[in-house]
Amino acid sequence: MKFLHTSDWHIGKVLKGHNRLDEQRAVLREIVRVARDHRVDAVLVAGDLYESSAPSAQAQQLLVQTLLALRRTGAEVIAIAGNHDHAATFDAYRPLMASAGITLAGTARPAADGGVVEFTARSTGEPVAVALLPFLARRHAVRAAQLVTETPREAATGYGRLVRDLLAALTAGFRDDTVNLVMAHLTAAGGKLGGGERSAQSVLEYWVPTSAFPPDAHYVALGHLHRRQSLPAPCPVHYCGSPITLDFGEENDSTVVLVVEAEVGTPTRVTAEVPIGSGRRLRTVRGTVDEVTQRAEEFGDDYLRVLLCEPARAGLRQDVQRLLPNALEVRIDPGFAAPVHTTGPSPPADGADRSPAELFHAYCIARGIADERVEALFTRLHDQATAMHA
């Protein structure tokens, strides 16, 4: 059987105040096209469908339209909640989505209560079982483990061990005559961050050892890390990565979805890493204002983070964004933002012998700001303030 693995859509994600919903719509339309063209038996969406646990109406509408479009390709559609999603809302809408043939899972459940989804692959007639483990916050880990494994758990038990116990309980019913899949949203040990993840939910305390994945799983479809990668484990373990570059820290990551073939008794193969190109490229550029603006045609419609190699001055950001409208972030390169130290004797620490204008001038020098207009503005505002209190 054949399935599509995708994750980390982050619908509703805003980049530096810039709404990207139209881009996200184009990316998801492209994913639907891949599912249709490859005639996959299932689409697995491994969490972080939304950027926020309280998504806008437009973001919710886009998600529903996408899931329905994927279902219309004839594929089974199964999606789990990630750390950005609101798990309880996923579970609340589970019955409604099920009436459309779509499986949503917000929280960990016992295998017999929806923790494992079973279906027959339309292309081969093979039975398929998918064990589902949505994102599990540390504060809920013990309770979830007790619910799924039906055994007591100590609160001090490590997060990785609890997840391992959950996976063991969910996959205990895997059979030799079935294509056995696992889908989870978590940080597997050895995985590399893409660059835009929430660090608080990707740190060491949240790592799960790859030994937690069962050797009889044909494939483990993971979400959470935005970088495409596979990990050494007792079975095939893959992150598909995000299909859209979410932040400038990810600008060199590939944006793909995976098409995978699995068969009973045969090693699973990722047959295609299909590029998703509808999202606009993110690019970091360095140079003086003149240098970066001379390269404007080279940048096309890329979103830019501009690191300027010159001292700060008033209006610098506005000047760059006027010349480069796609510059979403403009900063002084750290090498040019370092304090500038002058030679000669140090002035009195309390500044008692200097006027406010002289103190402000010294401050500008220390901050690497060389702009007479800033100092003139300070002087004018200081004079106005002094006159008001005279």
Side-chain angles (χ1 to χ4, degrees):
M1 57 89 66
K2 185 186 299 184
F3 63 91
L4 186 149
H5 173 198
T6 182
S7 73
D8 295 276
W9 293 351
H10 289 270
I11 301 172
K13 168 76 172 178
V14 173
L15 180 63
K16 310 298 179 184
H18 188 85
N19 189 308
R20 304 181 72 188
L21 202 63
D22 286 342
E23 268 184 280
Q24 293 159 356
R25 183 175 292 107
V27 165
L28 295 175
R29 190 180 298 123
E30 196 173 351
I31 292 174
V32 173
R33 187 162 58 248
V34 173
R36 183 176 59 247
D37 292 348
H38 286 263
R39 293 189 53 81
V40 296
D41 298 293
V43 176
L44 307 184
V45 190
D48 279 356
L49 283 70
Y50 292 120
E51 166 64 14
S52 166
S53 60
S56 67
Q58 293 86 354
Q60 294 181 62
Q61 182 183 52
L62 177 54
L63 176 64
V64 171
Q65 290 173 338
T66 301
L67 294 178
L68 290 172
L70 287 168
R71 180 60 182 149
R72 285 195 294 271
T73 67
E76 299 283 337
V77 179
I78 307 171
I80 60 174
N83 56 300
H84 283 251
D85 302 314
H86 192 259
T89 300
F90 271 46
D91 284 340
Y93 280 94
R94 184 181 179 113
L96 179 62
M97 298 302 284
S99 68
I102 298 165
T103 299
L104 281 186
T107 54
R109 294 167 172 258
D113 187 31
V116 175
V117 175
E118 298 183 354
F119 62 92
T120 300
R122 60 172 176 166
S123 64
T124 63
E126 295 172 287
V128 182
V130 188
L132 308 178
L133 185 60
F135 178 76
L136 192 62
R138 286 181 57 84
R139 65 184 183 276
H140 297 147
V142 173
R143 185 173 61 190
Q146 291 174 338
L147 172 67
V148 174
T149 66
E150 298 181 348
T151 58
R153 286 291 178 269
E154 296 296 331
T157 301
Y159 181 87
R161 180 179 171 186
L162 287 171
V163 171
R164 183 191 63 196
D165 291 350
L166 283 165
L167 289 170
L170 289 170
T171 60
F174 278 180
R175 304 191 308 271
D176 293 338
D177 63 347
T178 301
V179 174
N180 301 312
L181 308 176
V182 175
M183 179 163 60
H185 192 90
L186 51 78
T187 305
K192 296 180 180 179
L193 299 181
E197 300 88 348
R198 282 184 188 166
S199 58
Q201 292 162 335
S202 307
V203 294
L204 184 60
E205 291 180 344
Y206 273 91
W207 281 9
V208 175
T210 55
S211 60
F213 303 116
D216 55 349
H218 288 83
Y219 184 93
V220 176
L222 295 181
H224 190 39
L225 303 187
H226 299 168
R227 179 181 299 192
R228 161 72 186 115
Q229 57 195 299
S230 58
L231 301 176
C235 58
V237 175
H238 293 267
Y239 284 100
C240 56
S242 175
I244 183 171
T245 306
L246 296 166
D247 210 325
F248 286 101
E250 302 176 10
E251 60 185 271
N252 295 318
D253 295 349
S254 59
T255 52
V256 301
V257 296
L258 306 183
V259 177
V260 186
E261 290 187 2
E263 184 179 354
V264 175
T266 302
T268 300
R269 297 182 303 125
V270 176
T271 57
E273 297 189 14
V274 183
I276 302 298
S278 298
R280 288 165 69 172
R281 179 182 174 186
L282 274 58
R283 184 195 295 231
T284 298
V285 297
R286 288 179 171 82
T288 64
V289 174
D290 289 341
E291 288 170 344
V292 296
T293 54
Q294 287 173 7
R295 298 169 59 196
E297 291 187 6
E298 171 191 335
F299 304 145
D301 65 351
D302 297 349
Y303 292 132
L304 303 177
R305 174 172 61 181
V306 181
L307 301 181
L308 293 173
C309 299
E310 60 182 73
R313 58 176 172 79
L316 189 57
R317 180 192 304 272
Q318 292 80 357
D319 288 348
V320 173
Q321 291 179 325
R322 176 174 52 82
L323 297 166
L324 297 172
N326 292 332
L328 303 187
E329 181 178 350
V330 181
R331 294 189 300 174
I332 301 299
D333 187 279
F336 288 80
V340 178
H341 300 286
T342 58
T343 58
S346 299
D350 59 5
D353 295 338
R354 293 185 291 173
S355 68
E358 290 172 330
L359 289 169
F360 186 72
H361 174 73
Y363 170 80
C364 290
I365 292 176
R367 301 293 296 179
I369 300 172
D371 193 329
E372 294 179 354
R373 295 175 299 169
V374 174
E375 297 187 44
L377 177 60
F378 173 85
T379 300
R380 185 166 72 251
L381 292 174
H382 178 265
D383 290 345
Q384 290 175 358
T386 303
M388 289 176 59
H389 293 87

